[in-house]
Amino acid sequence: MADIQGSYDHLFVAVPTALAASLDRGDAGGSVAVFVDGEPVVDVWGGFADAERTVPWQRDTIVNVWSVTKTMTALCALLLADRGELDPAAPVARYWPEFAAAGKEGVLVRHLLAHTAGLPDWDGPVAELYDWPAATARLAAQTPRWEPGTAAGYHSLTQGFLVGEVVRRITGRSPGEFFAAEVAGPLGADFRMGLPAEHDHRVAATVPPPGRDGDHRASAPGGDAVPTAATPIRVRDGNSVAWRRAQIPAASGYGNARSVALVQSVMACGGSVRGVRLLSRAGCDRAREEQFSGEDRVLGMPVTWGLGYGIFGDTYGWGGWGGSLVMIDPATRMAVAYVTNQMRDPGDDNRGLEIVMAAYDGLQGR
């Protein structure tokens, strides 16, 4: 069995066992954290931080968690809503006047958070993702692909810029700056959107699925997705220095399982963790207000969207390209996070689900 480092409550032994099983099946590396009542009952890691398997995964190794980043950006928006500075039911143009172009005057903030705004495709060059003014100006000029609010289509890259620009217009700070000052800083969480160079040595670069290389592209997991002309994102793009430095608040957050679980424990615990209150219980509950339920046009599968989070029964959260995941359960005050540098094809990846089920095994023994 793979060597697993870290600590865990003996009732949750199934969690490190599940991580070890993934490593034994060929994964490079990863980390898992389970927080209950805002405190870690599992904080483990194992494997390697590089594809060549020469650099062991360390306690402070961080990785691009891809779309798990969306949950961090959503938390920023929910925090502003809880403070009364952002109204999810208001037109986006109230905060971002230029956005009203091309028939978007009726697009609401909640449409951005719930992937129903009709702007799912990034159709510009990859390099423009690294230029915030250019990226947001491109999106402000776009025409929706469908009537906003009537259908959902996963905004895989665009959602972060759309929500992030609203955050910037309200606060005067980029989403990464706002998150650092208002969320990560108060909690002491090792998570960043826009990674400074001094942290490069800690990064575990993304490893493509077996048999693939750096040109491996993101694709929808479902079989009924509508083809688009969106610019493809490759593994090599995500491993570039430019990607790390940029703020792409839908897909370029860097952290480990410990930091992801700590931040999202705020949502699991009614807005307060370790004596730090970020938002009210009602502010947390907003995340689970259903905005859409049905077939997602881009993912090609059924999805229920809340305000910035996917809803799964009594739990909510989201996963990232390649396998990283966070799950929030307010009823048990539990947050489960799994991050990995090892991609697998979407149809052959149950690792996150296995970790979550193992965490519930531990809860049953408490």
Side-chain angles (χ1 to χ4, degrees), residues 48-123:
F48 297 91
D50 61 332
E52 296 74 26
R53 304 178 189 227
T54 61
V55 180
W57 193 290
Q58 304 286 346
R59 184 181 189 277
D60 67 346
T61 296
I62 56 177
V63 66
N64 181 11
V65 300
W66 297 97
S67 285
V68 171
T69 311
K70 290 180 174 67
T71 67
M72 306 301 179
T73 304
L75 178 55
C76 292
L78 291 171
L79 195 157
L80 290 174
D82 200 46
R83 293 176 178 175
E85 298 177 49
L86 172 63
D87 180 359
V92 175
R94 175 186 296 180
Y95 310 102
W96 180 5
E98 300 92 327
F99 185 81
K104 296 194 301 299
E105 58 277 353
V107 178
L108 308 180
V109 173
R110 64 184 183 87
H111 295 153
L112 306 184
L113 287 161
H115 302 269
T116 62
L119 303 167
D121 295 336
W122 175 255
D123 59 6

Side-chain angles (χ1 to χ4, degrees), residues 46 97 135 159 174 182 191 248 297 338:
Q159 192 211 33
S174 71
E182 304 291 342
F191 193 97
I248 307 171
R297 291 186 175 198
Y338 164 60

Side-chain angles (χ1 to χ4, degrees), residues 311-334:
I311 301 174
F312 307 93
D314 294 330
T315 70
Y316 61 103
W318 197 240
W321 185 31
S324 296
L325 165 146
V326 65
M327 189 282 301
I328 302 157
D329 186 345
T332 60
R333 297 171 64 85
M334 180 171 74

Side-chain angles (χ1 to χ4, degrees), residues 79-353:
L79 195 157
L80 290 174
D82 200 46
R83 293 176 178 175
E85 298 177 49
L86 172 63
D87 180 359
V92 175
R94 175 186 296 180
Y95 310 102
W96 180 5
E98 300 92 327
F99 185 81
K104 296 194 301 299
E105 58 277 353
V107 178
L108 308 180
V109 173
R110 64 184 183 87
H111 295 153
L112 306 184
L113 287 161
H115 302 269
T116 62
L119 303 167
D121 295 336
W122 175 255
D123 59 6
V126 172
E128 199 174 89
L129 292 168
Y130 314 141
D131 182 336
W132 187 272
T136 52
R138 176 179 292 273
L139 292 170
Q142 273 191 8
T143 301
R145 282 180 51 195
W146 60 81
E147 183 182 346
T150 63
Y154 189 48
H155 291 43
S156 59
L157 285 174
T158 59
Q159 192 211 33
F161 289 108
L162 295 169
V163 177
E165 181 64 4
V166 172
V167 169
R168 193 187 73 82
R169 294 293 177 118
I170 292 171
T171 67
R173 290 180 281 182
S174 71
E177 292 168 342
F178 181 82
F179 178 84
E182 304 291 342
V183 179
L187 294 175
D190 185 16
F191 193 97
R192 292 165 182 84
M193 290 187 278
L195 191 71
E198 60 262 31
H199 298 285
D200 280 351
H201 70 283
R202 300 198 287 135
V203 173
T206 299
V207 180
R212 309 294 181 90
D213 60 17
D215 287 324
H216 176 59
R217 300 175 175 188
S219 60
D224 299 322
V226 177
T228 73
T231 303
I233 301 300
R234 305 165 300 171
V235 170
R236 70 174 70 255
D237 297 321
N239 281 336
S240 70
V241 172
W243 185 279
R244 291 182 197 171
R245 300 290 177 267
Q247 291 190 34
I248 307 171
S252 73
Y254 286 81
N256 45 40
R258 181 186 316 110
S259 62
V260 172
L262 172 58
V263 171
Q264 296 301 330
S265 285
V266 170
M267 303 300 290
C269 297
S272 177
V273 169
R274 298 178 177 177
V276 177
R277 177 163 291 284
L278 295 189
L279 67 172
S280 68
R281 182 174 297 277
C284 292
D285 289 344
R286 272 200 180 103
R288 291 186 285 169
E289 293 177 359
E290 182 179 308
Q291 305 297 312
F292 175 87
S293 186
E295 189 86 359
D296 185 289
R297 291 186 175 198
V298 172
L299 296 178
M301 64 184 192
V303 175
T304 299
W305 290 115
L307 284 177
Y309 294 79
I311 301 174
F312 307 93
D314 294 330
T315 70
Y316 61 103
W318 197 240
W321 185 31
S324 296
L325 165 146
V326 65
M327 189 282 301
I328 302 157
D329 186 345
T332 60
R333 297 171 64 85
M334 180 171 74
V336 181
Y338 164 60
V339 308
T340 179
N341 59 344
Q342 179 67 63
M343 287 187 158
R344 290 192 189 176
D345 290 317
D348 184 37
D349 194 357
N350 294 315
R351 293 171 295 174
L353 179 61

